[in-house]
Every structure is written in C-alpha cells, then in structure tokens.
Amino acid sequence: MKRITTVLLLGTAAVAFAQGTTFLTIGSGSTTGVYFPVATGMAKMINDAGQGVRANARSTGGSVFNLNALASGELDAAIAQNDVVYYAYKGSGIQAFQGKANTKLRTMAVLYPEVLHVIARKDAGINTIADLKGKRVVIGDLGSGTEQTAKQVLEAYGLGFDDLGQALRVSPAQGISLMQDKRADALFYTVGVGASAISQIAQTVDVKVVPVSGNQAASLIKKYPFYVRYNIPAKSYKGVGATVPSVAVQAVLVTPTAVPEDAVYKAMKAAFGNEAELKGLHPSLAQNFSYEKAVKGLPAPLHPGAVKFFKEKGLNVK
Ligand code: GLU
C-alpha cells in the first residue's frame, strides 16, 4: 500500500492530485479462475467511486502466494481460501506458514464457496479419487490453495503426491492444455462453480467430475474443519449431467491491519455497498453472497473498516 500526497504545479494553479490517496493492490489468482474476475470487478468499483482509494487486481498463483505477499507488504489485499487464511493467521497447518503466524491479517468479507473440482478425462479410467494412483494429475499452481486441498483430499484416500504417476504443479491455463493434449489424466482445482478453466476443459475434452464423498469426505472434514460437503449441481459444465458430491471451502477477502480503517471502509462501501452490482461480477457471488454470510465463519478477525461497514448494514459484528 502506498499513501501518496502529490501536488502538481500547473502554471500558477496548484492542483492537488491524488491527495491522500491510498493505493490497494489486490492479489487474486489465475485469469481463468474466479478470484481474478471478482478482484478486477471490485477494483473497478473502488476506482469508479472516486473516494480517494485506487485499486488494481493482480493475477497470482493463488492463496498461499497471496498470503505470503500480504505478509511481505507486496500486496495490500487479497482473495484466498478461508482454510489457508486461517493457517497463515495461526502460523500452522501447512509447511509454508509454519512458525510464521501473521497475526496482522484481517478479514474484509467472506465471499462464496470454492468447490473442489476433480476433473478426469473420460478415457483415463478414473472413477474415484483412489483411481488417481499412478495417473498424471494437475495438483494446482505453485503457491495455490488448490495444491493444499489436493494434498489433504488425497490423504483422506490414503494417497500422497508420491503415489501419482506425475504431480503436475502448473497454472490452470497450462492445466487446460495438458488435459486437451492428453498429457494429464486429471486436474484438481479449488474454485467457484462456473470457473472458466473448468468450462473450457469440459467444452473441449470428454470429462467426468470425480466425487469426494462417503467415509473419506467425513474423515477429511473431521481433520480439517473448514471443509463442508458441497454438491456440484448437474449441468454446471458441458457433459456433466448429474449432481456430483464434493467438498468446499470459502473464498475470503483479506487485508493487513496496516491498511487504515478509512481506506478499508471506503473500499468496502464501493465494492460491497451495491449488492446487485457485486453479484453481477460472477455467478458464484450471485448465487451465494449475502451480508449475513459475509461475516460468518471468519478465519481471522474483521478489519475495523469492515466492522464499520457491516454495522451500517445492521449486522451485529465486532
Ligand atoms: N482457490 C484457488 C487457490 O487458492 C484459486 C481459485 C481462483 O483463482 O478463483 O489456489
């Protein structure tokens, strides 16, 4: 975050430019995911409001990258999975954050469910997660939350990355090509339903969605309580005719305490004040977002700017 007070001298007239403006770089994910279109849309709403906060969205590898970049000050806000936010806040749970608790993390809002999509080529003979053994599997991008989901879900089925034929750590865009070229048999992606990467694969490759259910889902949820059961609705993607049981976490917008209350409040008012416009950014928001749900199950405390915003909306928050 940069706070810049600049005065441009034009002839004799002194024009205050960007006086006291707060600049927010919002970390997102792949351009084919849901974080990116949502963060881009929010940045536009913040800029259009002209309230002294300027925002831009940055494409990144995903949740783990975003939380590291928030800790280093490279990002000022980010969208990330609630489980990964919690691990970063506590400094535990996953290797990347071990012993590095970022207690200055704050929640702005819980956004929408991110559902584990395990997409398999129909010709790869994969019907269950257990069938991934020996297969070439896209496990998520470097710095993704997807990789963490993949690890935990495989573990619930008694598998590790070493049991796969290949664990491909690539961007969703590369994952699409690998699936199309038959260089990957399956792909993990923890992402809002309707993500363009999954739609693109389903449109160009004969695929099935592999279920996560039964005892394995139960033991996953018991060990990692941020997961909930979630059914991917029939017809969400081309060729997927039936509902498929899976699990989900939540996408959350977070920011450090270093961003001032006033800037966060103004950003929230611009991005969340008009619920209809917000919901227009993506079907995941349209179908799931509400102010009530935005403050439930917080992985880190609310930022004071968010508290102010939600109080104005009549919610009992602190
Ligand atoms: N949940 C994914 C991750 O953290 C990103 C999803 C998205 O970009 O929409 O890796």
Side-chain angles (χ1 to χ4, degrees):
M1 171 197 49
K2 296 190 197 76
R3 307 200 79 207
I4 296 181
T5 305
T6 318
V7 176
L8 288 182
L9 294 176
L10 298 176
T12 53
V15 180
F17 174 72
Q19 194 168 24
T21 297
T22 302
F23 288 89
L24 300 180
T25 298
I26 307 171
S28 62
S30 159
T31 53
T32 60
V34 179
Y35 291 178
F36 185 76
V38 167
T40 305
M42 286 181 173
K44 183 175 185 310
M45 287 157 82
I46 292 167
N47 295 337
D48 288 351
Q51 291 293 311
V53 184
R54 303 283 306 168
N56 73 291
R58 195 173 133 195
S59 174
T60 75
S63 295
V64 174
F65 176 94
N66 290 349
L67 286 154
N68 282 328
L70 282 173
S72 71
E74 194 181 332
L75 291 173
D76 312 302
I79 308 180
Q81 295 176 200
N82 62 347
D83 55 339
V84 179
V85 171
Y86 182 78
Y87 298 143
Y89 182 69
K90 289 287 178 194
S92 65
I94 61 178
Q95 201 59 44
F97 307 138
Q98 215 61 47
K100 293 192 282 186
N102 181 359
T103 55
K104 299 198 157 99
L105 267 176
R106 293 294 178 270
T107 304
M108 289 170 74
V110 176
L111 301 176
Y112 59 84
E114 293 196 80
V115 186
L116 172 62
H117 291 69
V118 185
I119 308 296
R121 301 181 52 88
K122 260 194 188 147
D123 58 15
I126 298 167
N127 294 308
T128 68
I129 298 288
D131 294 335
L132 294 174
K133 194 169 179 185
K135 302 289 185 190
R136 301 161 303 171
V137 183
V138 174
I139 57 163
D141 205 350
L142 201 65
S144 66
T146 299
E147 179 182 345
Q148 305 306 323
T149 312
K151 189 163 178 249
Q152 294 168 350
V153 170
L154 286 170
E155 178 193 290
Y157 285 81
L159 297 176
F161 289 150
D162 289 349
D163 296 308
L164 304 175
Q166 269 180 46
L168 301 158
R169 203 175 270 101
V170 298
S171 73
Q174 287 166 302
I176 298 170
S177 308
L178 292 177
M179 291 289 281
Q180 289 170 338
D181 301 348
K182 296 197 180 191
R183 284 182 291 148
D185 304 306
L187 170 141
F188 278 81
Y189 200 3
T190 311
V191 71
V193 172
S196 109
I198 308 291
S199 301
Q200 286 182 53
I201 296 172
Q203 271 157 24
T204 50
V205 183
D206 267 346
V207 290
K208 62 174 84 164
V209 183
V210 182
V212 177
S213 57
N215 291 341
Q216 290 90 347
S219 71
L220 176 77
I221 294 166
K222 191 160 179 231
K223 181 151 186 207
Y224 303 103
F226 280 96
Y227 289 106
V228 295
R229 290 182 191 266
Y230 196 98
N231 290 327
I232 301 175
K235 307 212 164 60
S236 296
Y237 303 101
K238 184 171 174 240
V240 181
T243 300
V244 182
S246 188
V247 290
V249 290
Q250 298 280 330
V252 196
L253 184 64
V254 289
T255 190
T257 51
V259 179
E261 173 176 337
D262 185 53
V264 169
Y265 170 73
K266 284 176 175 161
M268 300 266 326
K269 221 172 142 111
F272 294 88
N274 181 338
E275 226 182 320
E277 198 182 340
L278 174 73
K279 289 181 163 208
L281 298 180
H282 197 275
S284 281
L285 285 167
Q287 285 154 23
N288 298 288
F289 184 83
S290 74
Y291 293 139
E292 286 75 21
K293 285 191 262 175
V295 297
K296 290 242 167 73
L298 302 173
L302 277 179
H303 189 283
V307 170
K308 183 173 173 197
F309 173 80
F310 286 116
K311 272 195 173 148
E312 276 182 13
K313 293 289 169 194
L315 295 179
N316 182 13
V317 288
K318 52 179 185 332

